Amino acid sequence: MFRGIDEVDWASLRHAHGSAEDVPGLLRGLASADPAERETALDGMYGAVHHQGDVYDSTLACVPFLLALAVREEVRDRAGVVELLVSIGGIEGGSGAGELAARARAAVRAGAEVFVRLSGDADAGVRRAAAGALVRFLDRPARVLALLRERIGVERDDGVLIALAEALGVFAQRYRTAGDAHADEAVRLLAELSGPPYGPGLRLAALGRLAACAPERLPADLVPVVVRLLRDRSGQRARSGPASDCPGTDTLAGRLRRLRPSDEEGSQLLRTLHSALGGRVADRVALLCGQLTSPDTLDRCNAVWMSAGLFREWRAGHEEPVTLIGNQLGEEEDRLHDAAVAVLVELFELARPAADPLHTLVAYRPELRIRHRERGAPTLGGPLKALARTGDARATPVLAEVLAGPVVPHDLGLVVPLLGRAAAPLAPALRRRLAQVPPDEPGIRDRAVPLLSALTALDDAESLPAVLRLLRGMPEELPGRDAVTGAAVRALGAFGGAAREAIPDLRGLLETGCAVAAADALWSVTGDADAVLSVLLRESGDPASGPHRRAAAADVLGRLGPAARPGLPGLRRMTGSGDASERVAAACALWRTADESDEVLPVLRSAWAEHPRTRTTIAGCVADLGPAGAPLHDLLRAELASPRRHVVAPGGHGLHADLRLLRVCREALTGPGRRTTR
C-alpha cells in the first residue's frame, strides 16, 4: 500500500507548515497497530496536509496512498481515512481553492471505484463513510441510484442506513435541480423510508432530506410525527445502554471528538431537518418545544444548541423556547446546564422569559457569578452576564456584591449600559474601581475601558476626577493608551457641562488621532461649535484620515446643526464615497444640517438596500429628525415587518445589532422625534 512512497520528492512539496518531508511518516502512521499512533497520524493529516480544509501539492500526492490504505482490511480505523478522502475530494473553497482543489476532486473521483467496494465493507464505520462518497464521486446517476437502493435493501446497521438515506437526499437534490428523472425515484425511496416499518432514526433522516428536496412529500402533521420518532429513538438508545465515554488520546482529533455532542447522530438528524425547514418558523418553534420537553436530557441538550441558530436568523417565536431553555438551568446534568447558559448569554433582551431561573441561579449559587479561567483575567459568570444582558434590575444588587469583592471581572462594566438607569446604584463602586486603576498599568485597557463605558452610560459626572486622572497620567508609550483615551473622552462628552474642568485636556487632543472624539466631547461640554468646526472640517476632508474617522467627523458635523454649513461642500462630495458608512454619515449630516432631502434620499435608500449594516445609522437619523424623517418611514415599517434578521453572526453580536436596529426603528416611528442642533 506504500509502493512508490519513497520515490516521491516529499521535501519539495508543501503543506500548511512548510516542507512535506514528514508526510510519509504520517501515512505510515495511519496503518500502525498502535491506536495512539494512528490517531496522532490522522491528527497530523488534518493539521498540516488538509489544514482547515485546504489542499496543497502534498495533499494531491497523498491521495493514491490514502485510497490504497482504505481498501486494506488489516488497517484499523479505515473509516477515518475514508472521511479524509471525502473531505479532500469535496473541497470547494479555502486558500487551496482553484486549480489544486479541482485536481484534488479529480484525483479522488478517479479512484471512485474504491468507494463502491467499500460500500459493502465488513466494517460498518467504513460503509457509513463510503455512502456519501458514492454520490459525490461517481458520475452516472443510474448506477449511483442502483447502488444506494441495493445497499439500503441489504444493510442492517442503523447508522449506515441513516448515512445511505442522507446520501439519497443529496442525490435527489442534485439531480432534481438538473431535471433528471432519477431524482423522482430517489424522492420516492426517501418517502418510503420515512414511514413504517423503518426505525425512528432512519425515518428522521429521510424526513429531513425530504424537507430539503421535496417538501410537498412531507406529512401534514410533520412536527408531531418527528417528536414521536425522536422519543422512540431516545427510548431505543436508553435500552441499548450509554455510549462509551473513554478519554481517548490527547490529540487534536481526539479533543475534537470529545467536544462533539454526546448524541452526535441525533443532533445532526434534527439539525438537518431544521435547516431544511428554513423559513417555516412556526413549525421549527413547535419542533424545538417538542425537543426541549423530551424526557431525554441529550435530546434537550441538542435542542438548546440548535435553538441558537433559529434565534440568530429569525425574529419571531422565541418566547416559548427561551422559557423552556430557562427550565434547563435547574438540571443537574452539567452539559445541559452549560448549554442553556451559553445560549441565553447570546440572546440579550430575548432571554427575558428565562430571567427568573437565571436570577435564582445567581442568587443561590454565588460560585457561578465569576468565571475563573486558567489563562486570562476572570470574567463574569454566564448566568449573571445573561441576567444583566436582559436588562433585569435584579442583576444590579448581585453586581454590587461582585464589585465589593476582592476580584472584579474585567467585563463587568460592559453589561452596565444594558441595565440602563437600573444600574445607577453601581456608580459609586464603579467610580472607586476606576480610581484604583494605575495610569501606568500595562493591562490598563482591559481594566479601564469597561469601567469608563459603564460610567459613560450612567452619565456619572462625579467620576470626573478619576477620568481625568487616567487621561492625564498615562505614559505616551503605554500599550492600549489610545483605547483608554477614546473611552475617557467619550465619558467627558457624556458629562456635558459638568466636565468644564476637562476643556484644556480636550483642546490638547484636537491634533491627535483622537481628534474627532475630542471635538465631539468639547462641543458637548462647551456648546461652542466654532471651537471644533475647523477640526471636523479637516478630519472629514482629509484622505489620510480613513473612512471610519471621516464618517465619525461627518456624524458630528450633522449634529452641529446650522453651524456646520461651511462643511456642506465636503459632505456633498462624501456622499459619493466608495465606503458605505462614510456615504451614509455624510448624507445624514446633509439632511440634518441643510434639509437636502432630495439629494440624500437616493443615497440613503441605496445604502439601506445594499449595506444592511448601515441601517441602524440611517434609522437613528430618521429618529432624530422627527416628522421631517417621514420620507424614509416606509423603510422602517418594512424592517419591523420583516421576519428575518439581516446580520447573522455567532456570539450574539449580530442578534444584538439587530435588536438595536428594531428598537431604533420603533423609536423613529412612535417617538416624539427631535433635531439635535446644539
Side-chain angles (χ1 to χ4, degrees), residues 550-564:
R550 289 195 297 272
D555 179 62
V556 181
L557 281 170
R559 289 186 281 113
L560 291 183

Side-chain angles (χ1 to χ4, degrees), residues 32 57 67 76-77 111-112 234 244 247 298 341 376 379 381 414 515 551 576 613:
S32 170
D57 51 9
L67 289 167
R76 305 285 185 91
D77 301 333
S234 302
S244 173
L298 291 182
V341 170
T379 60
L414 298 178
R613 291 179 185 273

Side-chain angles (χ1 to χ4, degrees), residues 239-302:
R239 289 191 295 274
S240 65
S244 173
D245 195 25
C246 60
T249 53
D250 188 24
T251 63
L252 175 61
R255 291 193 294 273
L256 289 175
R257 186 161 53 248
R258 291 193 293 277
L259 286 172
R260 292 171 175 173
S262 292
D263 179 21
E264 186 179 9
E265 180 184 90
S267 174
Q268 186 58 45
L269 288 172
L270 271 295
R271 202 174 291 280
T272 297
L273 182 56
H274 273 282
S275 177
L277 289 175
R280 293 173 57 172
V281 176
D283 283 340
R284 292 180 65 185
V285 169
L287 180 53
L288 270 180
C289 292
Q291 295 173 253
L292 288 165
T293 53
S294 169
D296 186 87
T297 57
L298 291 182
D299 286 345
R300 300 203 302 277
C301 191
N302 286 338

Side-chain angles (χ1 to χ4, degrees), residues 171-196:
F171 177 94
Q173 274 186 281
R174 175 181 299 172
Y175 290 105
R176 219 179 196 208
T177 303
D180 193 303
H182 293 94
D184 293 335
E185 175 61 13
V187 168
R188 188 196 66 77
L189 277 171
L190 280 172
E192 180 182 321
L193 295 174
S194 71

Side-chain angles (χ1 to χ4, degrees), residues 57-233:
D57 51 9
S58 64
T59 320
L60 291 172
C62 286
V63 169
F65 302 107
L66 292 172
L67 289 167
L69 282 166
V71 296
R72 296 294 288 265
E73 293 184 4
E74 69 270 24
V75 174
R76 305 285 185 91
D77 301 333
R78 286 179 297 130
V81 175
V82 178
E83 289 172 358
L84 177 61
L85 276 165
V86 171
S87 181
I88 291 171
I91 185 170
E92 299 292 342
S95 62
E99 182 185 353
L100 278 175
R103 289 172 62 191
R105 287 193 294 272
V108 178
R109 190 179 295 275
E113 289 300 321
V114 165
F115 302 114
V116 176
R117 175 177 169 183
L118 295 177
S119 67
D121 195 88
D123 186 328
V126 171
R127 298 199 303 276
R128 185 169 189 169
L134 297 176
V135 177
R136 287 178 173 85
F137 305 125
L138 283 178
D139 289 325
R140 289 191 294 130
R143 185 183 181 206
V144 174
L145 185 58
L147 282 168
L148 291 175
R149 186 191 296 112
E150 176 190 344
R151 294 311 312 165
I152 289 171
V154 300
E155 185 59 62
R156 294 295 175 265
D157 184 276
D158 288 342
V160 181
L161 280 169
I162 288 171
L164 289 165
E166 297 281 348
L168 196 60
V170 172
F171 177 94
Q173 274 186 281
R174 175 181 299 172
Y175 290 105
R176 219 179 196 208
T177 303
D180 193 303
H182 293 94
D184 293 335
E185 175 61 13
V187 168
R188 188 196 66 77
L189 277 171
L190 280 172
E192 180 182 321
L193 295 174
S194 71
Y198 298 102
L202 178 56
R203 291 178 64 185
L204 286 170
L207 286 169
R209 288 299 172 176
L210 277 177
C213 67
E216 71 278 3
R217 299 295 295 267
L218 292 171
D221 56 344
L222 174 67
V223 172
V225 167
V226 170
V227 171
R228 185 171 63 251
L229 289 173
L230 183 64
R231 281 160 172 63
D232 290 346
R233 181 181 174 279

Side-chain angles (χ1 to χ4, degrees), residues 283-539:
D283 283 340
R284 292 180 65 185
V285 169
L287 180 53
L288 270 180
C289 292
Q291 295 173 253
L292 288 165
T293 53
S294 169
D296 186 87
T297 57
L298 291 182
D299 286 345
R300 300 203 302 277
C301 191
N302 286 338
V304 169
W305 284 121
M306 66 185 65
S307 70
L310 180 73
F311 301 145
R312 287 187 196 120
E313 191 172 358
W314 299 95
R315 289 171 170 167
H318 64 273
E319 188 165 343
E320 187 177 359
V322 170
T323 300
L324 293 173
I325 291 171
N327 292 344
Q328 313 308 316
L329 295 173
E331 292 290 332
E332 295 183 2
E333 170 63 45
D334 287 344
R335 191 187 295 254
L336 178 55
H337 171 276
D338 293 346
V341 170
V343 169
L344 291 172
V345 165
E346 284 194 19
L347 298 186
F348 291 84
E349 63 198 62
L350 294 188
R352 284 173 184 163
D356 286 348
L358 282 170
H359 177 252
T360 299
L361 204 57
V362 300
Y364 294 102
R365 293 191 60 185
E367 73 276 11
L368 298 178
R369 296 175 183 177
I370 299 176
R371 180 188 174 204
H372 297 276
R373 301 180 295 177
E374 290 185 12
R375 296 180 180 178
T379 60
L380 279 179
L384 181 51
K385 182 183 290 186
L387 182 65
R389 283 180 163 187
T390 68
D392 194 301
R394 291 176 292 180
T396 299
V398 184
L399 290 170
E401 290 184 37
V402 173
L403 275 168
V407 177
V408 177
H410 287 184
D411 59 345
L412 184 148
L414 298 178
V415 302
V416 170
L418 301 170
L419 287 166
R421 300 313 304 173
L426 299 176
L430 290 166
R431 202 182 304 141
R432 286 194 298 272
R433 286 289 178 178
L434 185 65
Q436 294 168 4
V437 177
D440 58 351
E441 182 182 55
I444 190 171
R445 174 177 180 165
D446 290 339
R447 289 190 62 186
V449 171
L451 294 170
L452 287 165
S453 300
L455 292 165
T456 301
L458 296 174
D459 295 337
D460 184 57
E462 292 185 53
S463 62
L464 178 63
V467 175
L468 289 177
R469 171 179 158 273
L470 284 183
L471 192 60
R472 295 168 177 172
M474 288 185 293
E476 288 285 340
E477 69 282 359
L478 185 69
R481 183 179 187 273
D482 289 347
V484 179
T485 299
V489 166
R490 287 189 292 273
L492 296 173
F495 302 160
R500 298 192 68 83
E501 182 185 343
I503 291 174
D505 302 273
L506 293 171
R507 285 180 175 154
L509 292 169
L510 293 178
E511 301 300 323
T512 69
C514 196
V516 176
D520 190 10
L522 186 59
W523 171 63
S524 177
V525 172
T526 65
D528 183 4
D530 292 337
V532 299
L533 183 59
S534 61
V535 175
L536 296 173
L537 292 177
R538 180 193 73 208
E539 293 294 320

